[in-house]
Every structure is written in C-alpha cells, then in structure tokens.
Amino acid sequence: MLSKWMWTGFQVFNFNVTVPMDILPIKNQCQSNVPFPQVSIPDELIAEILLFLDVKTIVRFKCVSKSWNIHISNPTFTELHLKKSSQNPHFIVTPFQKYRMRNVVSLPVCRLLENPSITVAGDKCHSLPGGLGYCQVVGSCNGLLCLLYNTISSLQNDYRLCLWNPATRTISDDFGFFVDYEPLSGPFKFSFGCDYLTGTYKVLALHTERNAHKETENEGLWRSKVRVSSFGYNGWRYIQSFPSVPLIWNDGVHLSGTINWLAISGDFVSMSVPEGAHEAHIPHVEQFVIVSVDLSTEAYTQLLLPPGFDAVPCVEPSLRVLMDCLCFSHDFNRTEFVLWQMKEFGVHESWTQLFRIEYVNLQLHNLTITDNTDLFGNMECKIPLLPLYLSNNGDTLILTSDEEKGVIIYNQRDKKVERSRISNKICWQSTFDYVESLVSTLWEDLEEDEEEKEGEDEDDEENGAICY
C-alpha cells in the first residue's frame, strides 16, 4: 500500500494504490519519478467535514493555513457549527466547593444516558477566570456562559459581568458594573439571553420591592423592578416593571429571545420557618403566572399556567426549557410529579401534559415534602424534584432531587428507572443547558458579524431575493 498526503490551502490530497503481487515492478523500476495524481476536495465538502468536529479540534485546524483560518473564523461557519453542535447537548454543572466556585464541568448528556455511573473527566472541567469577589454562572446561551462577580460588604454590593466561552477558552471584557447601596433590601435575580433580532446579548437584573404607589386596587403589595445591560456597554437602563414576584428558587429561563419567570401576582405573605427554610402563604392558585420579557421590545407579558394546575401546591413548582419548549412541573397531592409542555410559545391552549409519575414509580420514598404544609394554606419554598432534560422522542426524562447525589433517568416507554452514580460531588440543582460553540466573546467581532449580515440582507433585497 502506497499512501501520500498533500495539504495546500483547502486542498487535501489522499492517494492510495494497492499493487497486486503478480505485477510488482522490478527493482530498477521502483524509483520512478512519476508524480502521484492530485485530487482536489471542494471547499464546500471541507466545510461540511469540519462541522462534525469538536471545537477544540477546529480551533487547532486554524493553524493549517491562512485560508482555513479565514473560513473557520467566518460568522456563517460559526452559525452552522452552532446548529450542528446543538444536536449534542451538554450540562454545565458545578462541583461542590468550599468558600467560592472555582470551576464548572461540561457533561455531555449522551454520556450520562449511555453510562449513568460515569466519572466526570478532567478534560471537561473548566477553571473559571480569576476575579475579585464571589462568582456564579447566571445563564447560558449559544455556548457562552454569563458570569457574575459580586463583592459583598455591609454597606454595599458591587456587581460586574463578563461572557465566557469554555470551549474556546476565551473571555470578554467586564461590563454591566453597578453598585447596590441597599444590600439589606433583598437580593437581585440575574438572567441572561440573546435578542435574536439584533444579535445582542443582554442581562436582566430584577429586584423586588414594596409597591408604595399602587395605581389600581388590583395591584399587589409587591412589584419587580427590572434593569437591563447589553454586552458591549457598561450602563444599565430601567425597563418596564411588573406587579409580580418571581418564586425564590425559580431563576429566569431563556427561550427564543425571551426571559421567563414563574411568579406570584397579587398579595401574599412570605415567612421564615425553622432550619432556614421559607414558606409562602398564597390564597389562590390563579396568582401563579409566567412573566415573559421580550429582549427585543423589552416589554413584558403574562402567560397563564395549564388548566390542569388547579390547586396551590405544597412545594414550589418549577419552570424549565426542555426540547426548545417552555415546560412547567409541579407536585400533586404529595404523591405525583406532573410535567406540562407549552408546545407553541404564548398560546395557552397548547399546554400538554407529558408526564404524570407517582413518586413510588421513581423509587422516591423519602422525598422531603412536609405533610402538614398545605393544611395552613402555605407553600414550602423549595423544589424537591427538578427536570433537567427531555429526549427528542419524549420518552426519556432526566430529573434531579434535593435528596439525590446524582440524577434520576426515567424511561416512560418501559417505566424503567436508573440512577446515576457519578463519583464527583455535583450540585445538580444549579445545572444549565450548554452546547459547545465557536461564538466570539469579543464585542467587536459580534458587531462586525451583525453588520456583515445586514449587508448580505441588503444585497439579497437588491437582487430581488426574499429575506426571512
């Protein structure tokens, strides 16, 4: 077997010849100077092959040649690779760490499904960029993690943000500086997403306060003030506030250019109970709503919950994005876990019940749900069972419980339950969806990408093309 590889720009030549034994050349003919034939692979095929590779390998291939570097750095290639990479979802999970978070772990969902007893590999452990203060991940979008650094003192809290791509190991400059001079008035909730109309990444900071100036009698005692900061700018702007309060353990989830919170409208009472827990007295189930902020218009709307959710639960329900749809889960009568999916965003009639599972069928016999909580009309502010992933065929559901050290893998078709036995100590309740990507953390690059897209759209319009 004779083999020869030649690399010239985008041309990769592979010539293999098998010589039959009965026609081997004589010794003085072996030293032929006849060149091997060259086979040119089209650029389009090269690009298609590169899309199947992981980010680490693609970044290395930038060094092959100048033309490869230009092609891989093209925003169109980045967009195509992101679309392909989205078919291989990951979790970003946080190991239990003392004092402050130092790293996160990127865990492919397929590995967890194939082998629930895996050990998290070291090459999937990403050290967080250094910085002053406490650090936390507040959101994930298009392969970028939004990091919040918070320096706390008795007089003020200092906040700053940055975007981090763990796959390419790049980080943006800090943005979104602001100081909270009233730290005792309550914490901020931060959420991260992308305005898909402009391609701008935005962070929302939400703070709940007393509604001292009620405009109507229907308004409650509380309201949420919201400020927004865009990546590439250090300032914050106040946008429309809303008369609802997000639940304690429900952070905003990003879906199709919107940030969504599970919230309570109207009057309610929150109280502390022994062992540092909290309870909320909520008179009516109709007070539960979904507040959705459009990152393009920066205005909010309220979405109603499923019609089958007809009683105040004894533990806090949850809102997640599963299979690119908004999903709502809750406890029923301390005996069942119920999961709903809004198949068409914003359409109340599209709510569909996907799962209704008895806890005994999940092999959960010691779920910490207080027996007498709802006797007083109170809801315990914790989420004992949280959905993390739903397969495309709708059969396999991954959940985590506050009593589990790993996750529960439930298959609806055969009613099979598996438990992960990951040796690493992971904080599963703070899991984020994640995909590896080549998306830049440089604001200038993102701005140039948008200008290039706008220029392409204008060219298409001039040529009579229909732009979608």
Side-chain angles (χ1 to χ4, degrees):
M1 175 74 72
L2 303 177
S3 178
K4 181 177 181 181
W5 284 90
M6 296 181 64
W7 297 74
T8 308
F10 276 90
Q11 294 181 331
V12 184
F13 309 114
N14 184 9
F15 179 65
N16 297 297
V17 179
T18 302
V19 182
M21 295 298 296
D22 56 344
I23 57 172
L24 284 175
I26 60 177
K27 184 175 181 180
N28 60 354
Q29 293 178 327
C30 290
Q31 300 181 0
S32 173
N33 294 323
V34 178
F36 288 101
Q38 295 183 353
V39 179
S40 177
I41 299 179
D43 294 354
E44 294 78 8
L45 182 56
I46 293 292
E48 189 67 26
I49 295 173
L50 289 175
L51 290 176
F52 286 89
L53 303 179
D54 61 273
V55 171
K56 186 176 181 179
T57 303
I58 293 176
V59 171
R60 288 176 175 174
F61 279 179
K62 283 186 175 183
C63 301
V64 171
S65 69
K66 182 178 180 180
S67 57
W68 277 55
N69 182 30
I70 293 174
H71 182 75
I72 292 172
S73 302
N74 189 295
T76 301
F77 180 82
T78 299
E79 186 175 345
L80 291 173
H81 181 268
L82 176 62
K83 185 177 180 180
K84 178 73 70 174
S85 181
S86 298
Q87 301 173 14
N88 181 26
H90 289 57
F91 289 143
I92 283 290
V93 295
T94 307
F96 282 107
Q97 299 165 78
K98 292 183 179 180
Y99 308 118
R100 57 178 295 182
M101 187 170 64
R102 292 184 174 84
N103 52 65
V104 296
V105 175
S106 171
L107 178 62
V109 174
C110 62
R111 286 187 56 198
L112 185 60
L113 293 174
E114 293 168 358
N115 181 16
S117 301
I118 64 173
T119 298
V120 177
D123 61 340
K124 293 297 181 180
C125 187
H126 306 282
S127 298
L128 288 170
L132 297 176
Y134 173 77
C135 178
Q136 69 179 102
V137 180
V138 298
S140 171
C141 181
N142 295 340
L144 299 179
L145 301 185
C146 181
L147 304 182
L148 170 70
Y149 289 91
N150 181 15
T151 304
I152 304 174
S153 68
S154 59
L155 299 178
Q156 65 184 50
N157 289 350
D158 299 331
Y159 298 98
R160 60 185 179 88
L161 302 157
C162 67
L163 300 187
W164 177 41
N165 187 327
T168 61
R169 299 183 180 182
T170 57
I171 188 169
S172 73
D173 293 333
D174 294 342
F175 70 102
F177 296 91
F178 82 93
V179 179
D180 177 17
Y181 292 103
E182 298 179 351
L184 299 181
S185 64
F188 280 84
K189 278 182 174 287
F190 292 86
S191 300
F192 171 62
C194 182
D195 172 3
Y196 286 123
L197 289 182
T198 64
T200 304
Y201 291 94
K202 295 182 178 181
V203 178
L204 300 184
L206 183 149
H207 185 263
T208 300
E209 63 180 27
R210 278 192 170 275
N211 191 2
H213 305 286
K214 297 172 63 174
E215 296 181 1
T216 65
E217 294 182 357
N218 295 329
E219 289 189 20
L221 295 173
W222 305 92
R223 68 170 180 168
S224 295
K225 294 185 67 176
V226 187
R227 61 178 77 181
V228 60
S229 180
S230 301
F231 177 51
Y233 301 92
N234 283 327
W236 291 83
R237 293 178 290 104
Y238 278 103
I239 60 176
Q240 186 182 18
S241 61
F242 49 83
S244 305
V245 178
L247 297 179
I248 291 179
W249 293 106
N250 275 266
D251 294 321
V253 295
H254 176 251
L255 174 64
S256 302
T258 64
I259 300 293
N260 305 272
W261 293 273
L262 187 59
I264 307 172
S265 63
D267 295 338
F268 68 97
V269 177
S270 179
M271 66 199 82
S272 297
V273 294
E275 299 181 359
H278 288 81
E279 291 181 1
H281 177 72
I282 305 169
H284 308 290
V285 69
E286 292 80 8
Q287 292 180 247
F288 288 91
V289 295
I290 296 173
V291 178
S292 179
V293 174
D294 189 312
L295 293 176
S296 297
T297 63
E298 298 182 352
Y300 82 90
T301 57
Q302 288 193 354
L303 309 177
L304 298 179
L305 291 169
F309 180 63
D310 53 11
V312 176
C314 58
V315 291
E316 188 172 319
S318 70
L319 192 67
R320 300 283 291 181
V321 173
L322 306 173
M323 278 179 54
D324 294 325
C325 290
L326 211 57
C327 292
F328 170 72
S329 64
H330 63 93
D331 165 81
F332 176 76
N333 202 27
R334 298 190 299 275
T335 59
E336 293 177 307
F337 169 82
V338 185
L339 178 66
W340 300 80
Q341 182 186 68
M342 180 179 273
K343 291 187 175 294
E344 187 176 351
F345 182 76
V347 179
H348 181 250
E349 292 76 16
S350 69
W351 279 115
T352 304
Q353 187 178 112
L354 299 182
F355 291 84
R356 192 181 188 99
I357 317 169
E358 294 186 4
Y359 292 132
V360 292
N361 293 334
L362 292 173
Q363 302 174 12
L364 292 172
H365 306 289
N366 299 313
L367 203 62
T368 56
I369 299 178
T370 307
D371 291 337
N372 63 349
T373 302
D374 54 351
L375 296 179
F376 301 98
N378 295 340
M379 180 190 72
E380 195 171 1
C381 298
K382 69 175 185 179
I383 302 176
L385 201 58
L386 182 68
L388 300 179
Y389 170 81
L390 179 62
S391 62
N392 288 331
N393 60 12
D395 285 339
T396 303
L397 181 67
I398 299 180
L399 309 107
T400 185
S401 155
D402 58 1
E403 296 298 308
E404 294 288 325
K405 294 182 179 179
V407 296
I408 301 167
I409 303 174
Y410 176 76
N411 188 286
Q412 184 169 234
R413 180 177 298 178
D414 55 17
K415 311 301 180 186
K416 182 180 179 182
V417 176
E418 291 183 278
R419 276 176 163 72
S420 71
R421 292 289 179 261
I422 297 177
S423 61
N424 312 65
K425 294 182 178 180
I426 300 294
C427 182
W428 288 100
Q429 291 281 341
S430 58
T431 299
F432 289 93
D433 295 327
Y434 170 73
V435 293
E436 291 189 344
S437 80
L438 295 162
V439 175
S440 175
T441 57
L442 296 176
W443 176 69
E444 293 83 359
D445 289 351
L446 296 175
E447 189 180 45
E448 290 174 1
D449 293 352
E450 290 305 314
E451 291 177 353
E452 183 173 333
K453 290 181 181 178
E454 291 176 1
E456 292 175 353
D457 292 343
E458 291 175 358
D459 293 341
D460 291 339
E461 292 175 357
E462 291 177 358
N463 295 328
I466 300 177
C467 300
Y468 295 94

